[in-house]
């Protein structure tokens, strides 16, 4: 068996080369020429996405890499393509703010390296690889969050992110060391077999909780969510948009794989833990979102709540693998589109009004009806009302909860939370449509509009024609165990 | 080739909305109004044409479109499936008629016309879709679509407390529909093969063998439908929403949206969850009784004309619910096996007819409230008086509508209420007997309202009020003609309804192993 195969590793190679290439180009290019950088990044990311997509394996034969530390299955491919889309959209969202800051190229380098970490994480099946990939994502994200060097809020964001993140990593690696002690291997597949042979003890639970804490931090799962609002508010908006979907999706990828591969002997235990955490996460996110005046903070809390909805699917997947995980993957795609779309509109509004507070949306419908209606679609989707992708996502996640039997009550919790979320999402709609005032939005960078339209079409099409993504998600999760 | 009437009716307003959104909000105001009028008119005509393809004596689903696979993914199969029977068709025509009249009446809207008409078109899509969908996925999508535009209609064009009323309306109804979503999923995952198809689910009654899931699902649906009806104690959003909504919004709200709740009980609860429906019918009947009596008493206490009409809706929808409960319930006091199909059918006939007649009459009443409010800028009953001389046409129509609403024979309201009482008496003697008090109270508050508005001395303040103008007459007169027509000769409508009521009751009896 070959130790590694260059084609199966091609997406990551492209990303690594892209990162280094942009780094060099940034040194070589001068002044106006630097405008090439986002274009290069987009093309590179498109190549990455294409390379990843071409690895889709209809026969479901997973390939291993590097002494079984990496796994290439459809699950990993699904996420890699998703990351490529996120990356491209975020580059588009970022170009405008970068025109106004000094350092230009580093941003893309950091973004690409974060994506590389995410890409590795999607296929990692070894504790060491997981940890390394995880740290690559985290370290690059810390810097991105603090990208506005002269803005104290951005500094605060980076520092908070770093301190929380470092502690979370420490806890996680401690949990991993316990796992190694229990199973005598760092490989998840081997670990799973060995753990299954021995009776479950309290040490298993402790190890599980510690690893969950580390991963939970990345997906902003309560009670490890405290960093998110400050970081989201302080970071540049494009970075916030990225953090709310990119690393979060990667976190879910590994969280689910970890729980479903290593933890089958522990399923009843982790289902209880994750179900409780999901409940906590949904309530925390939604109840705190209501009080926010700053839209970025509000979206931060709402993204915590959405992580909670997705955790419902993860719990359900413990009982009924395929359906629950397919629901989670679809939800991630839907969430990516509606959330990035909402961020794009927020950025357009902030450009014209100079504020990211709720007030900026006041009377938007009077001046720019189209923009307000598009935002309305995203809000309706985030609430989970048809005909939008958010609705189908919720339908599947709650459906997974109900079909799994005992976990139906999570569906009820999710429903209660959706009802709570109406209040703050519709509050933006209220400001846009019910209030007077607000001029026409004149300045609308073309990249923002592009992202906005892509997300709008995606949000609607994913509801009207959800089958391709749902089927891909179902396919991708068929062999999530990797064997 | 058969014409897909239902799809055409549902999607024509989508086209209308798209056209309206493309027009300029200031330069094309008249064109926007005309577009809305023409589209709503065409949809109305289509609904009448659909009648020609409809066989009244056939209880089955007609005008069916589909089931066509929409998507089948990750183990979930969703079909595009529409159809109409004697239950949905009258409501569909009611919807298209009221929407058409509302777009005509709404010529007087001058503020943000483009958005107004666009939301109105979307509203029609949601309502027509809800009444024609035969697949739960589709049903839920349309159900929710109708929610959003109404939120904006109340919130933008409403009265002083519009924002509060709009969000209250939105949250109440959304809580209900989310509960329904869970119930739908419970049905789906217990059916075999898994299906969202409402006809197939009624055939399978998948939860008959899962007692507790059935009970939970029933209460899930109950919450959604009861909030929409609204049944006491879920009615508190209604007075706020009605009072704050613009005239056309109130007309649609009372005329159509409330019927989505009662429609749901007949279309979903009775056929698909016959066991729980029968078991909990007594709860519905009691709540209906409270709605009837309490609604009437509160209406009597109102000094605001619009609030009075709003509470009269709580009162009148109570009759519908009583009829539905009686069609399903266990005979009281008594024998759980007694199943008098004839009186149950009568009760259900009354309930369905009451949905239609209430839509027509209350629609007219809300138009009429709008007429006086446009002139006087107040709805305070105490400030009116003697208007009969000042506005004779208005007074005449208002009195006729009021009499229809309070159930005067030869007007539509009487027929439906009469049938409800006759039918319901077979199941719930005591409750029905008590509910008749509601009729007396209804007569009381309407007569008192008429007296306060039209008789006595004319308040000098209103000496210059003009009578109704042609635009208003066009909106109201057709409804009054229908009221009289159904009141005098209800046979054609009843014939359509009866076949379906009979089959619903038969199905219920068979599903429960009775009668």
């Amino acid at each position: 068996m070959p130790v590694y195969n260059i084609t199966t590793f091609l997406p990551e190679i492209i990303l690594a080369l892209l990162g280094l290439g942009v780094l060099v180009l940034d040194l070589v290019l001068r002044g106006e020429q630097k405008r090439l950088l986002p274009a290069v990044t987009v093309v590179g990311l498109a190549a990455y996405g294409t390379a990843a997509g071409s690895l889709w394996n209809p026969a479901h034969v997973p390939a291993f890499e590097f002494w079984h530390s990496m796994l290439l299955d459809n699950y990993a491919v699904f996420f890699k393509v998703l990351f490529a889309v996120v990356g491209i959209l975020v580059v588009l969202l970022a170009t405008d703010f970068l025109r106004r800051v000094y350092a230009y190229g580093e941003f893309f380098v950091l973004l690409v390296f974060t994506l590389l970490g995410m890409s590795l994480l999607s296929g990692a099946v070894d504790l060491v690889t997981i940890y390394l990939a995880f740290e690559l994502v985290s370290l690059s994200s810390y810097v991105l969050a603090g990208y506005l060097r002269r803005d104290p809020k951005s500094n605060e964001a980076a520092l908070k992110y770093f301190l929380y993140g470092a502690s979370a990593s420490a806890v996680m690696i401690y949990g991993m060391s316990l796992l190694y002690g229990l199973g005598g291997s760092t490989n998840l597949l081997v670990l799973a077999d060995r753990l299954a042979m021995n009776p479950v003890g309290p040490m298993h639970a402790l190890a599980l909780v510690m690893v969950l804490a580390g991963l939970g931090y990345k997906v902003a799962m309560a009670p490890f969510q405290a960093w998110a609002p400050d970081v989201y508010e302080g970071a540049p908006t494009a970075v916030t948009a990225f953090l709310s979907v990119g690393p979060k999706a990667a976190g879910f990828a590994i969280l689910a794989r970890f729980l479903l591969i290593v933890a089958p002997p522990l399923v009843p235990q982790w289902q209880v833990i994750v179900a409780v955490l999901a409940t906590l996460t949904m309530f925390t996110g939604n109840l705190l979102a209501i009080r926010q005046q700053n839209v970025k903070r509000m979206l931060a809390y709402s993204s915590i709540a959405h992580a909670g909805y997705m955790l419902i699917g993860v719990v359900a997947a413990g009982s009924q693998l395929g359906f629950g995980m397919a629901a989670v993957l679809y939800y991630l795609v839907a969430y990516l589109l509606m959330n990035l779309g909402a961020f794009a509109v927020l950025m357009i509004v902030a450009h014209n009004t100079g504020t990211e507070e709720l007030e900026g949306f006041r009377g938007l419908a009077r001046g720019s009806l189209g923009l307000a209606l598009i935002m309305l679609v995203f809000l309706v989707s985030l609430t989970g009302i048809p005909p939008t992708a958010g609705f189908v996502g919720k339908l599947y996640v709650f459906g997974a909860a109900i079909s799994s039997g005992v976990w139906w009550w999570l569906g009820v919790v999710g429903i209660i939370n959706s009802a709570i979320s109406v209040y703050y999402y519709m509050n933006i709609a209220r400001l846009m449509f019910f209030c007077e005032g607000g001029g026409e939005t004149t300045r609308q960078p073309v990249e923002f509009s592009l992202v906005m339209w892509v997300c709008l079409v995606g949000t609607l099409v994913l509801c009207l024609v959800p089958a391709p993504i749902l089927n891909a998600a179902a396919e991708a999760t068929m062999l999530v165990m990797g064997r | 080739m058969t014409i897909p009437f239902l799809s055409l009716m549902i999607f024509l307003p989508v086209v209308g909305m798209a056209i309206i959104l493309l027009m300029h909000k200031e330069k094309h105001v008249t064109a926007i109004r005309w577009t809305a009028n023409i589209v709503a008119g065409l949809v109305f005509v289509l609904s009448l044409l659909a009648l020609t393809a409809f066989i009244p004596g056939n209880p089955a689903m007609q005008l069916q479109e589909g089931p066509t696979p929409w998507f089948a993914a990750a183990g979930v199969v969703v079909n595009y499936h529409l159809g109409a029977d004697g239950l949905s068709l009258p409501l569909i025509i009611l919807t298209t008629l009221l929407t058409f009249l509302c777009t005509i009446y709404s010529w007087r809207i001058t503020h943000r016309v483009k958005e107004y008409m666009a939301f109105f078109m979307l509203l029609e899509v949601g309502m027509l879709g809800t009444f024609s969908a035969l697949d739960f996925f589709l049903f839920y999508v349309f159900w929710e679509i109708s929610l959003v535009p109404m939120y904006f209609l109340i919130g933008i064009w409403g009265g002083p407390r519009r924002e509060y009323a709009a969000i209250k309306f939105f949250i109440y109804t959304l809580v209900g529909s989310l509960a329904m979503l869970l119930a739908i999923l419970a049905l789906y995952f217990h059916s075999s093969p898994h299906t969202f198809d409402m006809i197939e689910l009624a055939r399978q009654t998948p939860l008959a063998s899962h007692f507790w899931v059935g009970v939970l699902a029933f209460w899930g649906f109950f919450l959604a439908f009861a909030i929409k009806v609204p049944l006491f104690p879920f009615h508190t959003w209604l007075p706020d929403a009605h009072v704050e909504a613009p005239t056309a919004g109130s007309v649609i709200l009372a005329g159509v949206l409330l019927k989505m709740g009662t429609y749901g009980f007949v279309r979903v609860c009775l056929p698909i969850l016959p066991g729980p429906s029968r078991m909990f019918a007594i709860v519905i009947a009691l709540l209906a009784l409270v709605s009837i009596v309490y609604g009437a008493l509160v209406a009597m206490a109102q000094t605001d004309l619009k609030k009075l009409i709003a509470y009269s809706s709580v009162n009148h929808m109570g009759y519908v619910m009583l009829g539905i409960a009686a069609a399903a319930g266990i005979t009281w006091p008594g024998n759980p096996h007694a199943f008098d199909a004839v009186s149950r059918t009568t009760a259900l006939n009354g309930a369905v007819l009451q949905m239609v007649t209430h839509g027509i009459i209350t629609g007219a009443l809300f138009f009429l409230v709008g007429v006086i409010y446009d002139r006087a800028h107040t709805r305070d009953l105490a400030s009116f008086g003697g208007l009969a001389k000042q506005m004779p046409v208005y007074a005449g129509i208002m009195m006729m509508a009021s009499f229809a609403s309070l159930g005067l024979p030869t007007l539509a309201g009487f027929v439906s209420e009469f049938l409800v009482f006759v039918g319901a008496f077979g199941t719930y003697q005591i409750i029905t007997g008590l509910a008749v008090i509601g009729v007396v109270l209804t007569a009381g508050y309407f007569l008192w309202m008429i007296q306060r508005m039209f008789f006595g001395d004319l308040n000098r303040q209103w000496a210059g009020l003009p009578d109704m103008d042609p635009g208003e007459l066009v909106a109201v007169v057709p409804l009054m003609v229908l009221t009289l027509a159904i009141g005098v000769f209800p046979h054609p409508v009843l014939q359509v309804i009866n076949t379906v009521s009979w089959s619903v009751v038969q199905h219920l009896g068979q599903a429960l192993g009775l009668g």
Side-chain angles (χ1 to χ4, degrees), chain A residues 419-430:
Chain A
I420 299 174
S421 75
V422 176
Y423 187 79
Y424 60 87
Y425 289 130
M426 282 303 128
N427 188 34
I428 297 188
R430 180 183 71 86

Side-chain angles (χ1 to χ4, degrees), chain A residues 323 365-366 369 373 376 385-386 391 395-396 399 402-403 412 415 422 426 430 433-434 436 464 466 470-471, chain B residues 25 70-71 73-74 76 111-112 114-115 137 140-141 144 151-152 155-156 163 170 174 178 181-182 185 189:
Chain A
F323 192 41
R366 295 298 278 144
L369 181 61
L373 286 175
L376 179 64
I385 296 173
F391 160 65
L395 180 84
Y396 269 78
I402 288 191
S403 73
V412 177
I415 291 280
V422 176
M426 282 303 128
R430 180 183 71 86
F433 285 91
F434 297 0
E436 296 294 331
L464 300 175
L470 275 167
N471 284 327
Chain B
K25 65 183 173 199
W70 177 359
F71 67 88
V76 174
H111 178 58
R112 298 166 77 172
K114 174 172 158 174
E115 290 159 78
F137 186 90
Y140 188 82
V141 168
E144 292 286 83
Y151 169 73
F152 288 107
I156 302 179
E163 290 191 12
F170 198 93
L174 192 81
L178 288 170
L181 183 63
L182 281 184
L185 288 169
F189 285 108

Side-chain angles (χ1 to χ4, degrees), chain B residues 305-483:
Chain B
L305 179 60
K306 205 169 183 185
K307 245 188 169 148
L308 185 148
I309 310 286
Y311 275 106
S312 89
S313 288
V314 177
N315 167 230
H316 283 99
M317 293 306 282
Y319 299 133
V320 183
M321 291 313 298
L322 179 63
I324 292 171
I330 297 167
T331 308
W332 193 267
N335 176 3
H337 299 291
F339 196 81
D340 172 9
V342 175
S343 72
R344 283 163 198 275
T345 307
T346 309
L348 199 54
N349 276 339
V352 178
L353 186 63
Q354 172 84 348
M355 292 186 211
V356 178
T357 56
H358 177 260
I360 296 170
I361 298 168
T362 305
L365 281 169
F366 275 114
F367 274 134
L368 292 164
V369 173
V371 168
I372 191 74
Y373 186 74
D374 277 352
R375 286 163 176 67
H377 300 291
T378 178
R379 294 182 301 251
D380 185 14
L381 284 168
S383 75
F384 294 125
L387 284 176
K389 274 188 198 145
Q390 182 64 35
M391 304 168 69
V393 179
Y394 178 74
I397 297 180
M398 183 66 156
M399 281 185 223
M400 181 175 166
S402 304
F403 286 137
S405 190
L406 65 81
L408 194 76
T410 72
L411 296 172
F414 170 74
V415 190
S416 48
E417 282 173 33
F418 178 78
L419 288 173
V420 167
F421 286 125
V422 170
F425 197 74
T427 311
Y428 301 123
Q429 282 87 354
I430 299 169
I431 295 176
T432 310
L434 290 172
V436 177
I437 297 171
V439 181
V440 181
L441 293 173
T442 311
Y445 68 75
F446 269 117
L447 292 174
W448 194 27
M449 177 203 89
I450 289 172
Q451 190 212 336
R452 281 184 287 177
M453 279 188 81
F454 298 114
F455 302 117
D457 297 326
L458 178 67
N459 184 339
R460 291 196 173 282
Q461 211 183 336
W462 314 128
L465 288 192
D467 212 335
M468 290 174 76
D469 64 37
E472 292 161 343
L473 286 171
V474 168
V476 179
V477 169
L479 296 175
M480 297 329 298
V481 172
L482 267 177
T483 305

